[in-house]
Amino acid sequence: MNDVVRLATRNDSSSSVRMWQSAAMTDAGAGLRTADFAAWLERRRRAHRFQVRRIPFADLDGWAFEEATGNLRHHSGRFFTVEGLHVVRGGPPVGPYQAAEWEQPIIVQPEVGILGILAKEIDGVLHLLMQAKMEPGNPNLVQLSPTVQATYSNYTGVHRGAPVKYLDYFVRPGRGRVIADVLQSEHGSWFLQKSNRNMIVEAYDDVPLEEDFCWLTLGQIAELMRRDYVVNMDSRTVLACCPADYDEAGALYSDTEVLSWFTAERARHDLRAWRMPLDDVADWVRDEHRIAHVANRYFRVVAVAVEGSSREVASWTQPLFEPVGLGLVAFVVRSFAGVPHLLVHARVEGGFLDTVELGATVQCTPRNSAHLDSADRPPFLDLVLNAAPHQIRYLALHSEEGGRFMHANNRYVIVEADEDSAPAVPPPGFLWVTPGQLSFLLRHGRYVNVQARTLLAILNARAVQL
Amino acid sequence: MNDVVRLATRNDSSSSVRMWQSAAMTDAGAGLRTADFAAWLERRRRAHRFQVRRIPFADLDGWAFEEATGNLRHHSGRFFTVEGLHVVRGGPPVGPYQAAEWEQPIIVQPEVGILGILAKEIDGVLHLLMQAKMEPGNPNLVQLSPTVQATYSNYTGVHRGAPVKYLDYFVRPGRGRVIADVLQSEHGSWFLQKSNRNMIVEAYDDVPLEEDFCWLTLGQIAELMRRDYVVNMDSRTVLACCPADYDEAGALYSDTEVLSWFTAERARHDLRAWRMPLDDVADWVRDEHRIAHVANRYFRVVAVAVEGSSREVASWTQPLFEPVGLGLVAFVVRSFAGVPHLLVHARVEGGFLDTVELGATVQCTPRNSAHLDSADRPPFLDLVLNAAPHQIRYLALHSEEGGRFMHANNRYVIVEADEDSAPAVPPPGFLWVTPGQLSFLLRHGRYVNVQARTLLAILNARAVQL
């Protein structure tokens, strides 16, 4: 046995090289031309017309508020529940824009889904198999999604339902080579400790092209990520995990120093969160159409009916979380000795499994801190809001997971700064790291939150080059 | 500003090289000779004589069972509590030696401590500052511990008590260079989601040598790790995290494949655990002296009084967890194409924060499965128990954290196997990885459990060379 064993190379840099090659092709690949993409997506949108209507909770089908707790659940026990969460933050003092203790509704869905992109070398270049997919909370309903978005129920076949196309590549070994596979957290403010498996698998054999799917290069997806509301969140988080060896001469801090800073941030913060009955959540009120914060901040829980135009298309009702305003997610960027650095923020979110993850420099809904004085607002918010056009390296609108969130739209921005506006020695909780260092951390879970991952996907795909 | 910034190299391999150099010096370093160590430790033991006596719970000072819950707690709210835990395992079917659902007592101590070893280059070789320290649960009371073992209360100074020597090196930046710093889990069967910061810091300046402390090379510590009950668990877990670039020509699986397998293991298992009143825990009974399982398996909760011989030395009482028998922790090892591989096991433990971590091939208390048929016992247990002397590459007894566990003694073993006894394609939940790959994972938390870390420390220090 021992004699015939062949060893693998532990670290294979070819995946990164091939990803950069794919990123270099922006106009066309072996499939759709980038210029033709919008028309193709529009055709897919028309092929399965959907209508999404807001409905009162009473019109939800199969969903009800549980008598004893007020928790919102499906009678089958499937999908997810909306419950209450009590959060207590210990550790360092919090700023005026943060609370030390609060209660809120939260989505509880304790299962690990798969977000998978199938890759295939075509004409010598890696192509990614992407899907036109409708999700009721997307502002334009149909966006570009990964090859597979599957819940645990989908892929274990516990529940009935149409089989998920291409799923086999991600759950059965031997059909492809794994390029990336890591559990990453979902939105910590809206989900309780939820994570999904982010996968890229390169198929060994020919892959049949199904309706609603198209092959795109990474460079083509980069072009689409410069447009508003085209590439969905699930695609973005998977692309953030793709191998990307950035060519960097060094960094302000060694990887060991970055890890040490992160460890200290995790150790000095203390997060305790426990589930509670939704009915008992303080400062939130329910009427026939929504559960909302008394000051109308943060988000609302609402209900929608999704109606398909044809027999083949399912109709259903479900609850969604709807933020109260347009969000802002921004990386402040500076070059040190010629190497671009991003200013990350160690964030506490109530639904994180492990205290803190790294977020973008700014992640907030500006409307929620509009009532605060400038000095009390989140650090660097004003820098981003007041940035001159020449400082803005990237700006596009993207929505978060449309299967759970209604019009959860964020302005994603990368802004250049200088020593005056963003010093080399930033406030506690912030650190300058390179894109390559974030990419190094993203081989592992629970380091980088989902919003920061969108911005890293944009860099990985070279939608912007710093 | 930008012009004067100097960048760091992201990856510095010099720490690993210097650790190997330190490991090569086994007989003597700049301080104590290895041959003189036992006498030194004995002198330290005599200098602070301690007596540990078992006492009934009623004689605990400041500790009591809470009226409503039966939880055991200190009246000050300090230290830790003993509560109940209800655990439900989902995912793949469990074997006869595992339960799918159970209740047990658990230690709740939701704070992050620091386990820190101070390093210093002396005569061109890295030396580690180790401490002779008494812990009531150690079979021989005094063992070799890290420079610093500090709870959060210790290092934030929230509570009174003597200052912790050398603590500044680990909590104040600028006094040394960080060599390793990572949050690692503690015992998942006895602690609820506990983790500690494992740190190695190299001092910039001269370090005064305090009583009870000594400078040792990594090679000297390796010699001591071949002896029973000398190097304590906290030292071992920190040494498992030290930079160690193993010289390996490759591995059966690439790092990406190992990560993907781990991700799949985490995703396919499902662990739900919640705290419950200790009084309500099924199958466990309390009398005046202990809380024990009805079949006398697993462990007992007991109480001790610790009495110092001199005025300078504190006396106190506390509860401890006491396992019912000698444990066994064993790595099965094979060489594939000339490269040694360890057979890791993805383990579910009730107190893990995130479902599974990698354990050794075998981790159990053989007595707990003595009532089972051979086929129903933990995989590879019989291989280890029946190993011929020439197959045993390492064997020593070590105890677990003596501040919480009473005589929690394990036989730590590394056993060679062949294709017949441990096939290249192992059962589900097992995978062959190299020591270098485990070391790569140990830069990050919650991959490798504390028992497997002891065996990796033994390899890192070269107490055995595979």
Side-chain angles (χ1 to χ4, degrees):
Chain A
M1 175 70 211
N2 279 9
D3 298 328
V4 299
V5 161
R6 282 182 52 187
L7 298 183
T9 305
R10 277 186 48 195
N11 289 295
D12 178 10
S13 59
S14 71
S15 295
S16 172
V17 171
R18 294 164 75 215
M19 282 289 175
W20 291 136
Q21 287 167 344
S22 184
M25 295 187 62
T26 56
D27 292 343
L32 209 55
R33 290 167 46 86
T34 312
D36 300 331
F37 176 84
W40 176 81
L41 191 68
E42 188 54 33
R43 283 199 302 278
R44 299 327 308 154
R45 188 175 280 129
R46 287 197 191 143
H48 319 283
R49 254 171 301 168
F50 280 96
Q51 245 198 340
V52 175
R53 256 187 324 117
R54 289 169 187 270
I55 55 173
F57 292 125
D59 290 356
L60 280 170
D61 181 22
W63 292 84
F65 293 102
E66 196 174 52
E67 188 81 31
T69 59
N71 292 345
L72 184 54
R73 60 188 295 278
H74 194 261
H75 68 80
S76 66
R78 291 172 61 184
F79 309 116
F80 58 91
T81 57
V82 180
E83 310 184 15
L85 191 74
H86 187 106
V87 185
V88 179
R89 273 184 69 146
V94 294
Y97 59 95
Q98 301 163 292
E101 182 164 4
W102 72 92
E103 296 180 352
Q104 65 164 91
I106 194 97
I107 300 173
V108 179
Q109 187 180 5
E111 56 161 29
V112 174
I114 290 179
L115 309 176
I117 295 182
L118 192 61
K120 179 77 197 160
E121 192 168 296
I122 308 176
D123 302 338
V125 177
L126 269 187
H127 284 67
L128 305 173
L129 187 59
M130 307 299 287
Q131 181 186 182
K133 188 174 170 66
M134 193 286 299
E135 291 171 318
N138 289 342
N140 50 0
L141 295 185
V142 178
Q143 293 189 6
L144 195 64
S145 86
T147 319
V148 161
Q149 289 178 207
T151 63
Y152 185 82
S153 317
N154 286 149
Y155 68 81
T156 53
V158 170
H159 303 300
R160 62 185 177 280
V164 177
K165 283 171 186 158
Y166 303 106
L167 181 60
D168 264 9
Y169 290 96
F170 301 93
V171 293
R172 289 196 213 292
R175 300 205 52 185
R177 192 176 71 90
V178 174
I179 293 178
D181 186 358
V182 54
L183 282 183
Q184 296 288 5
S185 62
E186 296 281 306
H187 299 71
S189 295
W190 300 332
F191 268 121
L192 180 63
Q193 301 173 358
K194 173 99 172 81
S195 65
N196 281 320
R197 211 170 152 183
N198 288 237
M199 301 179 76
I200 304 175
V201 172
E202 182 179 358
Y204 290 134
D205 303 318
D206 282 349
V207 177
L209 187 66
E210 303 273 352
E211 205 177 58
D212 293 330
F213 289 81
C214 64
W215 289 107
L216 296 171
T217 64
L218 186 54
Q220 291 185 286
I221 297 173
E223 289 299 308
L224 302 177
M225 282 199 289
R226 296 192 194 176
R227 305 177 190 175
D228 296 343
Y229 303 132
V230 174
V231 178
N232 86 350
M233 187 214 77
D234 302 286
S235 303
R236 301 187 315 259
T237 173
V238 175
L239 294 176
C241 302
C242 89
D245 297 334
Y246 285 81
D247 184 18
E248 296 162 353
L252 276 185
Y253 304 99
S254 72
D255 289 357
T256 296
E257 288 170 320
V258 170
L259 288 171
S260 179
W261 173 82
F262 182 84
T263 301
E265 286 297 313
R266 223 170 224 176
R268 82 186 177 107
H269 286 93
D270 182 24
L271 172 70
R272 313 215 182 155
W274 52 94
R275 289 151 76 173
M276 59 180 294
L278 184 56
D279 267 353
D280 297 346
V281 168
D283 295 332
W284 290 74
V285 290
R286 184 175 110 201
D287 66 20
E288 286 173 22
H289 286 83
R290 63 185 63 82
I291 302 169
H293 186 257
V294 288
N296 208 18
R297 295 206 188 108
Y298 314 118
F299 61 88
R300 294 180 280 258
V301 185
V302 299
V304 297
V306 184
E307 281 146 13
S309 61
S310 62
R311 255 191 341 179
E312 290 75 28
V313 172
S315 294
W316 72 89
T317 64
Q318 71 167 93
L320 289 167
F321 273 34
E322 180 180 33
V324 297
L326 182 66
L328 175 67
V329 180
F331 261 132
V332 168
V333 60
R334 280 185 66 185
S335 181
F336 293 101
V339 176
H341 284 68
L342 308 165
L343 187 57
V344 295
H345 180 207
R347 286 179 60 84
V348 176
E349 298 182 9
F352 281 159
L353 181 66
D354 201 359
T355 320
V356 303
E357 296 191 13
L358 300 181
T361 322
V362 175
Q363 175 191 320
C364 69
T365 303
R367 176 179 153 166
N368 284 338
S369 39
H371 62 293
L372 297 172
D373 287 340
S374 171
D376 291 343
R377 303 232 288 270
F380 305 105
L381 172 58
D382 289 345
L383 181 163
V384 174
L385 293 178
N386 302 329
H390 72 272
Q391 294 176 288
I392 297 173
R393 301 295 309 273
Y394 176 85
L395 169 58
L397 295 161
H398 297 294
S399 57
E400 307 304 304
E401 165 61 60
R404 296 290 174 271
F405 311 130
M406 179 77 167
H407 301 175
N409 304 333
N410 280 310
R411 205 144 55 104
Y412 279 95
V413 189
I414 298 176
V415 179
E416 275 184 1
D418 57 22
E419 179 65 22
D420 286 342
S421 54
V425 179
F430 291 83
L431 192 78
W432 292 103
V433 302
T434 68
Q437 290 181 312
L438 274 193
S439 199
F440 153 75
L441 293 177
L442 274 165
R443 288 190 88 180
H444 311 280
R446 307 200 189 282
Y447 276 118
V448 182
N449 80 355
V450 65
Q451 292 90 342
R453 294 205 301 275
T454 279
L455 288 168
L456 199 71
I458 284 156
L459 295 175
N460 281 352
R462 306 233 163 163
V464 57
Q465 292 191 39
L466 300 180
Chain B
M1 176 70 210
N2 281 9
D3 299 328
V4 299
V5 161
R6 281 182 53 187
L7 298 183
T9 305
R10 277 186 49 196
N11 287 295
D12 177 12
S13 59
S14 72
S15 295
S16 173
V17 171
R18 293 164 77 216
M19 282 290 175
W20 292 136
Q21 288 167 343
S22 183
M25 295 186 63
T26 57
D27 293 342
L32 209 54
R33 290 168 45 86
T34 312
D36 300 331
F37 177 83
W40 176 83
L41 191 68
E42 189 53 34
R43 282 198 302 279
R44 299 326 308 154
R45 190 175 279 131
R46 289 200 190 140
H48 320 284
R49 252 172 302 170
F50 280 98
Q51 245 199 340
V52 175
R53 254 187 326 116
R54 289 169 188 270
I55 55 172
F57 291 125
D59 290 357
L60 280 169
D61 181 21
W63 292 84
F65 293 101
E66 196 174 53
E67 186 82 31
T69 60
N71 292 346
L72 183 53
R73 60 188 295 278
H74 194 261
H75 69 80
S76 65
R78 290 172 62 185
F79 310 115
F80 58 92
T81 57
V82 180
E83 310 185 14
L85 191 72
H86 186 108
V87 185
V88 179
R89 274 184 69 146
V94 294
Y97 60 95
Q98 301 163 294
E101 183 164 5
W102 72 91
E103 296 179 353
Q104 65 164 89
I106 193 98
I107 301 172
V108 179
Q109 187 181 4
E111 57 161 26
V112 174
I114 290 180
L115 309 177
I117 295 181
L118 193 62
K120 179 75 196 160
E121 193 168 297
I122 309 176
D123 302 337
V125 176
L126 269 187
H127 283 66
L128 306 173
L129 186 60
M130 307 300 287
Q131 181 185 183
K133 188 175 170 66
M134 194 286 299
E135 291 171 318
N138 290 342
N140 49 359
L141 296 184
V142 178
Q143 294 189 6
L144 194 64
S145 86
T147 321
V148 161
Q149 289 178 206
T151 63
Y152 185 82
S153 316
N154 286 148
Y155 67 81
T156 53
V158 170
H159 303 299
R160 61 185 178 280
V164 177
K165 284 172 185 156
Y166 304 106
L167 181 61
D168 264 10
Y169 288 96
F170 301 93
V171 294
R172 291 196 213 292
R175 301 206 50 185
R177 191 176 71 89
V178 174
I179 293 179
D181 185 359
V182 54
L183 281 183
Q184 297 288 4
S185 62
E186 296 281 306
H187 299 72
S189 296
W190 299 333
F191 268 120
L192 180 65
Q193 301 174 358
K194 174 97 172 80
S195 65
N196 281 320
R197 212 170 150 181
N198 287 238
M199 301 179 76
I200 304 175
V201 172
E202 183 180 357
Y204 291 133
D205 303 319
D206 282 349
V207 177
L209 187 65
E210 302 274 351
E211 205 178 57
D212 294 331
F213 289 81
C214 65
W215 289 108
L216 296 171
T217 64
L218 186 54
Q220 292 185 285
I221 298 173
E223 290 298 310
L224 302 177
M225 282 200 288
R226 295 191 194 178
R227 304 177 190 175
D228 296 342
Y229 303 133
V230 174
V231 179
N232 85 350
M233 187 213 78
D234 302 284
S235 302
R236 300 185 318 255
T237 174
V238 174
L239 294 176
C241 303
C242 89
D245 297 334
Y246 285 81
D247 183 20
E248 296 162 352
L252 275 186
Y253 304 99
S254 71
D255 288 357
T256 296
E257 287 170 320
V258 170
L259 289 171
S260 179
W261 173 82
F262 182 84
T263 300
E265 286 297 313
R266 221 168 226 178
R268 82 188 177 106
H269 286 92
D270 182 23
L271 172 70
R272 315 218 180 152
W274 52 94
R275 288 151 76 172
M276 58 180 294
L278 184 55
D279 267 353
D280 298 346
V281 168
D283 295 333
W284 289 74
V285 290
R286 184 175 111 200
D287 66 20
E288 285 173 22
H289 286 83
R290 63 184 63 83
I291 302 169
H293 186 258
V294 287
N296 208 19
R297 295 206 188 109
Y298 315 117
F299 61 88
R300 296 179 279 257
V301 184
V302 299
V304 297
V306 183
E307 281 145 14
S309 59
S310 62
R311 256 193 340 183
E312 289 75 30
V313 171
S315 295
W316 72 91
T317 65
Q318 71 165 95
L320 289 168
F321 273 35
E322 180 181 32
V324 297
L326 181 66
L328 174 67
V329 180
F331 260 134
V332 168
V333 60
R334 280 186 67 186
S335 180
F336 294 102
V339 176
H341 284 68
L342 309 165
L343 187 57
V344 295
H345 181 208
R347 285 179 60 85
V348 176
E349 298 181 10
F352 281 160
L353 182 66
D354 200 358
T355 321
V356 303
E357 295 191 14
L358 300 182
T361 321
V362 175
Q363 175 191 320
C364 68
T365 304
R367 175 179 153 166
N368 284 338
S369 36
H371 62 293
L372 297 171
D373 288 338
S374 170
D376 292 342
R377 303 230 287 269
F380 306 105
L381 173 58
D382 289 345
L383 182 163
V384 173
L385 293 179
N386 302 328
H390 72 273
Q391 293 176 287
I392 298 173
R393 302 296 308 274
Y394 177 85
L395 169 58
L397 295 162
H398 297 295
S399 58
E400 308 304 304
E401 164 61 62
R404 296 289 174 271
F405 311 129
M406 179 78 166
H407 302 175
N409 304 333
N410 280 310
R411 205 145 55 103
Y412 279 95
V413 190
I414 298 177
V415 178
E416 274 184 2
D418 58 22
E419 179 66 20
D420 285 340
S421 54
V425 179
F430 291 84
L431 192 77
W432 293 103
V433 302
T434 67
Q437 289 181 313
L438 274 193
S439 198
F440 153 75
L441 294 177
L442 274 165
R443 289 190 87 181
H444 312 279
R446 306 200 191 283
Y447 276 119
V448 181
N449 82 354
V450 65
Q451 292 90 342
R453 295 205 300 276
T454 279
L455 288 169
L456 200 70
I458 284 156
L459 296 176
N460 281 351
R462 305 234 164 162
V464 56
Q465 294 194 38
L466 300 180

